[in-house]
Amino acid sequence: MPSNPTPITVAHGDGIGPEIMEAVLFLLEEAGAALEPDVIEIGEKKYREGYTSGIGAEAWESLRRTKVFLKAPITTPQGGGYKSLNVTIRKALGLYANVRPSRALHPYIRTHHKDMDLVIVRENEEDLYAGIEYRQTDQVAEALKLVTRPGCEKIIRHAFEYARQNNRTKVSCMIKDNIMKVTDGLFHRVFKEIAEEYPGIQSDSWIVDIGAARLADTPEMFDVIVTLNLYGDILSDIAVQLTGSVGLGGSSNVGDEVSMFEAIHGSAPPIAGKNIANPSGLLLGAVMMLVHIGQHEAASRLHNAWLRTIEEGVHTTDIFRAGVSKNEVGTREFARAVAERMGERPEVLRPVDYRPAERRQHAEIRHTARTTDRKDLVGMDVFLDWEGKPDRLGEALSSLSGEALKLVMISNRGVMVWPSGFPETFHTDHWRCRFLSKNEAEPVIGHAETLALLERLTAAGFHFVQTINLYNFEGKPGYSLGQGQ
Ligand code: NAD
């Protein structure tokens, strides 16, 4: 056991939070973990005091000091004006990786997938979750999907390092780059680059739709899955549901500085204070915390005692099943049952043995600071709020293109409607009009040309709602070419 206790920040949360946290802190002590908890108040009470994100200054100070956060679920108040505490913490502290293991506990927990044992590593900060959304016209709203090279490198490397340190043999990437060639294409390209740095770990890639179908049908074929934020959000809920119980899931949110560990379920207000909540999700989150802070022995002892308790049929109400379970117990009794088995290992379920993995030195890890790709402005997409027929728009805009630019394409909801289109295509009031340099051999233009174009469009009575510059990188288009091109 490490002699110096590790300072951690603890939040007891709302609803069932306090009772499951009490059970878990008791078990951490019983497992021999050396911890120095600093308890903070977050959630409902703070929201009521007027903190719109449910967290105050002294809590931030504690998190910055300990850098390790064991968090019970909190209740997000209904109604406007409140911000999600989880999203606030994730973004403010740069918790870029959400790691969620999903393991079947057959035959003790009913599941169709008895050999399932996988981990989803979800990017946590980017993608459509950047929250950059606009209503642009009467009919059309838009969200920006942001994917960055540093963001991809961090999450993908985290997945491979996780696999290496946890003796996992394969990392699968899930993307939709047949459609989103630029954003998901970047994620996929970085995945292939980083996979080459880990020759001992297999890698494969899946288009997310068929990948998700295979996950739902044959989850045992996956080991570690790394994916973008939105797909990861959906896939990790599907995966944990396949194990038979959402209530048993723990997760970690990892950042460069601070990491947060929790159960995946919420605060379950209807069963709060009744001593019936299952503390297992938070307990497994706490096991991940112990591994993270290097207390591997305590992590193994706690996890194995818990597995032994489950296989002996000591179950809380949510997982109790006549014929399989033996004793239906409350939260406190379950914790005592785990404590009594401390030092035991499961006999049917596979035991765990967490070992310190040698950490790679930062210097060994290759980071791409910035590429030196040449970037040239070659055109602009102008989005117009306009009503009418595409041919009329094409004709009007062509005459306003000027000396340097030409109108090459108009699309509506991403479907090309000019110069060629189908009469059946539905049109909204949101038109993307692509202007490219007339000079194909030397396409580089300046901002003067694009600004002059906007002035001509405005003078002619067109309302532009958004413009996006089109760049070539090393002579290759850095934009999607649009349907039919
Ligand atoms: P929930 O996860 O709290 O409850 C869903 C169902 O699962 C309920 O039937 C509940 O009784 C049951 N359940 C959940 N955890 C259980 C446990 N440990 N033992 C036994 N049964 C359990 O989801 P919800 O009802 O949608 O949300 C309730 C509140 O929790 C909301 O305010 C929500 O915003 C919040 N929430 C917080 C977090 C978090 O802090 N990480 C996550 C999700 C939801």
Side-chain angles (χ1 to χ4, degrees):
M1 198 215 302
S3 47
N4 291 332
T6 307
I8 63 166
T9 300
V10 170
H12 288 263
D14 303 317
I16 58 171
E19 51 201 299
I20 60 174
M21 183 58 88
E22 189 190 325
V24 168
L25 289 176
F26 160 68
L27 285 171
L28 282 167
E29 201 169 333
E30 291 289 311
L35 302 170
E36 194 183 283
D38 180 24
V39 175
I40 59 168
E41 184 76 58
I42 54 168
E44 256 182 328
K45 186 160 166 267
K46 285 286 163 192
Y47 280 115
R48 274 203 305 271
E49 282 175 23
Y51 293 92
T52 51
S53 300
I55 178 165
E58 66 294 339
W60 288 119
E61 195 278 319
S62 173
L63 290 171
R64 287 202 186 90
R65 185 175 60 80
T66 68
K67 304 189 189 321
V68 182
F69 188 17
L70 182 61
K71 173 181 161 291
I74 59 112
T75 302
T76 313
Q78 300 288 318
Y82 299 113
K83 290 193 213 139
S84 157
L85 174 58
N86 260 2
V87 175
T88 303
I89 292 176
R90 237 185 262 156
K91 289 198 170 171
L93 300 177
L95 308 184
Y96 63 86
N98 180 237
V99 181
R100 235 193 230 193
S102 295
R103 177 182 163 188
L105 296 168
H106 175 83
Y108 308 102
I109 308 292
R110 194 202 305 262
T111 169
H112 297 298
H113 307 283
K114 59 189 175 62
D115 297 321
M116 170 178 184
D117 180 6
L118 61 85
V119 179
I120 296 192
V121 179
R122 163 191 169 194
E123 201 290 317
N124 228 357
E125 294 182 295
E126 304 191 342
D127 193 358
L128 285 159
Y129 290 66
I132 307 174
E133 293 191 295
Y134 305 96
R135 179 172 172 186
Q136 294 210 317
T137 65
D138 181 47
Q139 294 179 318
V140 176
E142 174 189 89
L144 283 191
K145 169 163 170 149
L146 287 180
V147 178
T148 72
R149 176 169 267 276
C152 294
E153 287 191 4
K154 269 163 82 167
I155 192 69
I156 293 165
R157 201 177 298 286
H158 189 85
F160 277 95
E161 281 296 305
Y162 181 93
R164 198 178 63 78
Q165 289 174 15
N166 290 280
N167 296 322
R168 296 210 169 237
T169 55
K170 187 169 77 170
V171 180
S172 303
C173 171
M174 296 235 188
I175 58 284
K176 186 84 185 171
D177 61 344
N178 54 336
I179 303 295
M180 282 157 281
K181 297 187 168 78
V182 181
T183 46
D184 285 30
L186 173 62
F187 194 90
H188 198 182
R189 214 164 47 245
V190 173
F191 177 78
K192 288 190 206 152
E193 285 168 21
I194 291 179
E196 280 185 14
E197 295 174 34
Y198 295 85
I201 298 173
Q202 300 166 46
S203 61
D204 58 13
S205 305
W206 295 82
I207 297 293
V208 65
D209 40 32
I210 188 65
R214 295 303 291 271
L215 173 70
D217 182 63
T218 332
E220 42 300 331
M221 67 185 284
F222 293 104
D223 195 350
V224 175
I225 293 173
V226 64
T227 190
L228 296 113
N229 206 342
L230 177 61
Y231 312 143
D233 192 359
I234 299 165
L235 292 179
S236 54
D237 270 16
I238 293 175
V240 76
Q241 185 67 41
L242 292 175
T243 64
S245 177
V246 178
L248 300 184
S251 87
S252 66
N253 289 274
V254 183
D256 285 333
E257 293 284 326
V258 181
S259 296
M260 174 169 90
F261 304 86
E262 60 182 342
I264 65 167
H265 59 73
S267 58
I271 60 165
K274 297 183 174 161
N275 190 40
I276 55 175
N278 188 344
S280 298
L282 186 60
L283 182 149
L284 292 177
V287 167
M288 295 174 89
M289 177 189 76
L290 291 176
V291 174
H292 174 79
I293 60 178
Q295 299 196 19
H296 298 86
E297 247 176 66
S300 303
R301 213 166 20 245
L302 178 53
H303 200 159
N304 284 329
W306 176 77
L307 288 167
R308 183 78 188 122
T309 310
I310 295 289
E311 74 177 21
E312 282 198 50
V314 183
H315 292 170
T316 44
T317 310
D318 56 313
I319 56 170
F320 188 86
R321 189 155 58 101
V324 176
S325 309
K326 295 209 174 66
N327 299 339
E328 186 172 355
V329 292
T331 314
R332 275 191 293 275
E333 294 69 31
F334 181 80
R336 272 203 291 278
V338 177
E340 280 161 16
R341 288 161 181 78
M342 214 56 84
E344 293 181 28
R345 291 163 72 83
E347 289 172 8
V348 179
L349 296 169
R350 190 172 39 76
V352 296
D353 280 296
Y354 296 108
R355 291 215 174 82
E358 108 294 342
R359 283 194 191 274
R360 288 177 76 192
Q361 296 301 312
H362 192 70
E364 284 178 61
I365 296 178
R366 192 180 61 78
H367 289 285
T368 310
R370 288 179 76 92
T371 65
T372 50
D373 290 351
R374 197 182 79 243
K375 176 179 169 186
D376 297 316
L377 182 65
V378 296
M380 181 163 65
D381 276 354
V382 182
F383 291 75
L384 297 178
D385 183 347
W386 189 80
E387 300 236 24
K389 293 271 180 229
D391 283 349
R392 193 156 72 73
L393 185 60
E395 210 175 295
L397 295 183
S398 292
S399 70
L400 295 165
S401 307
E403 291 297 306
L405 294 163
K406 67 172 181 220
L407 178 72
V408 295
M409 187 253 295
I410 301 174
S411 70
N412 196 298
R413 297 192 303 164
V415 180
M416 196 206 283
V417 293
W418 186 92
S420 53
F422 289 104
E424 294 86 359
T425 304
F426 177 73
H427 301 144
T428 68
D429 53 6
H430 190 255
W431 306 81
R432 180 180 61 153
C433 311
R434 174 159 294 176
F435 295 88
L436 281 175
S437 173
K438 259 187 192 156
N439 186 341
E440 286 178 19
E442 293 287 335
V444 184
I445 59 166
H447 289 298
E449 282 86 351
T450 55
L451 292 174
L453 171 68
L454 293 178
E455 273 180 15
R456 287 193 298 279
L457 296 181
T458 314
F462 287 104
H463 292 282
F464 63 90
V465 290
Q466 175 177 235
T467 66
I468 296 189
N469 290 341
L470 304 176
Y471 293 101
N472 279 358
F473 288 81
E474 293 293 328
K476 293 203 188 94
Y479 47 92
S480 59
L481 294 178
Q483 201 210 31
Q485 289 202 356

